[in-house]
Amino acid sequence: MARPEQVLLLEPQHELKFRGPFSDVVTTNLKLSNPTDRNVCFKVKTTAPRRYCVRPNSGIIDAGTSINVSVMLQPFDYDPNEKSKHKFMVQSMLAPPDMTDMEGVWKEAKPEELMDSKLRCVFEMPVENEKTHDMESNKMMSSSLLKSDSSSLPPKSMSSTLDDGEVKKIMEECKRLQMEAQRLREENKQIREDDGLRMRKSNMMSSQHTSVGMKKEEGMSARTVALIVLFFVVGIIVGKLVL
């Protein structure tokens, strides 16, 4: 059985164009409109999920309303000779009146209830004088999307800027730590100098003790020699007297 025709109106209908340079995130928009009198569930799928970030990638479009889907192409090395084979598919179905679990509805959906539209991706590199403008517009669009996502987070999870008082406290603390480090370096230097002085004194004292000991030994050896000579002379004299 053939699938029913897509009830959503897509803008653009067949192509998603991304204009370089591609050294940064490039964003393009896809508008989904629901002209019917019933709510419509939708999903956005791609053949290259790692290369794109889609916000929102699923949801419900109320009757008679529309929604803008932002498709963000991640940075990559662009090759003009390589044609893009990436494709997107917008899948939709009429929302049941008593729907409470959207994931459950998708799982239980029958093939004949699903509608889809396919779009191919086209990469374009602008001329030189347009590159700067396109890069700025892409950055502004990406930053606005990030801000809108972060606005739903709790205040504690959002980054906050420091006021002048906190900055002053941090500067004072850094200055105090620097002074403390300088003081420790000076103390360390003084300790090393004191250790060197003590070592020099101990070396001098040990050398003095050594010289004194040598002098004492020399004096003792001289006296010993004198005594030996004296005994020798006395022995000779005694020997003559006996004879």
Side-chain angles (χ1 to χ4, degrees), residues 8 19 32 53 78 86 101 114 130 168 177 180 182 204 218:
L8 296 178
R19 291 177 61 84
L32 305 179
C53 181
Y78 175 70
H86 302 168
D101 181 16
L114 299 177
E130 296 179 357
K168 187 176 180 181
L177 292 174
E180 182 69 17
Q182 181 66 24
M204 291 176 63
E218 290 176 355

Side-chain angles (χ1 to χ4, degrees), residues 184-198:
L184 292 174
R185 283 196 296 268
E186 291 177 355
E187 289 183 357
N188 190 22
K189 182 179 179 182
Q190 185 64 35
I191 290 171
R192 287 199 301 268
E193 291 178 352
D194 293 342
D195 290 341
L197 183 60
R198 282 196 295 271

Side-chain angles (χ1 to χ4, degrees), residues 56-239:
N57 58 5
S58 63
I60 299 175
I61 305 176
D62 294 335
T65 63
S66 61
I67 188 172
N68 285 322
V69 177
S70 297
V71 182
M72 290 167 277
L73 172 64
Q74 302 305 304
F76 72 103
D77 294 329
Y78 175 70
D79 184 359
N81 298 321
E82 181 182 355
K83 292 185 179 180
S84 172
K85 297 180 180 179
H86 302 168
K87 293 181 181 179
F88 276 81
M89 182 175 70
V90 179
Q91 199 171 42
S92 63
M93 63 179 294
L94 296 175
D98 55 348
M99 185 185 70
T100 56
D101 181 16
M102 188 167 62
E103 288 298 324
V105 170
W106 282 108
K107 290 180 181 179
E108 297 174 1
K110 298 177 181 179
E112 59 269 17
E113 296 175 343
L114 299 177
M115 300 167 282
D116 59 62
S117 300
K118 295 180 180 178
L119 302 94
R120 68 186 188 95
C121 298
V122 178
F123 300 154
E124 295 180 348
M125 183 63 73
V127 294
E128 291 296 329
N129 58 357
E130 296 179 357
K131 285 185 180 180
T132 304
H133 175 71
D134 289 337
M135 288 179 66
E136 291 178 355
S137 61
N138 286 330
K139 287 181 180 179
M140 290 176 63
M141 190 175 296
S142 300
S143 61
S144 63
L145 288 170
L146 292 173
K147 287 180 180 179
S148 63
D149 289 342
S150 62
S151 62
S152 60
L153 297 174
K156 291 184 179 180
S157 64
M158 297 176 63
S159 60
S160 58
T161 56
L162 298 174
D163 56 24
D164 294 339
E166 292 175 341
V167 172
K168 187 176 180 181
K169 289 181 180 179
I170 292 173
M171 294 296 291
E172 291 177 352
E173 182 66 17
C174 291
K175 187 175 180 181
R176 187 186 67 80
L177 292 174
Q178 289 176 353
M179 293 176 65
E180 182 69 17
Q182 181 66 24
R183 184 182 64 81
L184 292 174
R185 283 196 296 268
E186 291 177 355
E187 289 183 357
N188 190 22
K189 182 179 179 182
Q190 185 64 35
I191 290 171
R192 287 199 301 268
E193 291 178 352
D194 293 342
D195 290 341
L197 183 60
R198 282 196 295 271
M199 289 181 66
R200 286 194 295 271
K201 286 183 178 180
S202 62
N203 291 333
M204 291 176 63
M205 291 177 66
S206 61
S207 61
Q208 289 177 358
H209 288 312
T210 302
S211 60
V212 170
M214 290 177 65
K215 289 180 179 179
K216 287 182 179 180
E217 290 178 358
E218 290 176 355
M220 290 178 65
S221 60
R223 287 195 296 272
T224 302
V225 171
L227 288 173
I228 292 172
V229 172
L230 179 61
F231 288 152
F232 180 72
V233 172
V234 171
I236 291 172
I237 296 172
V238 172

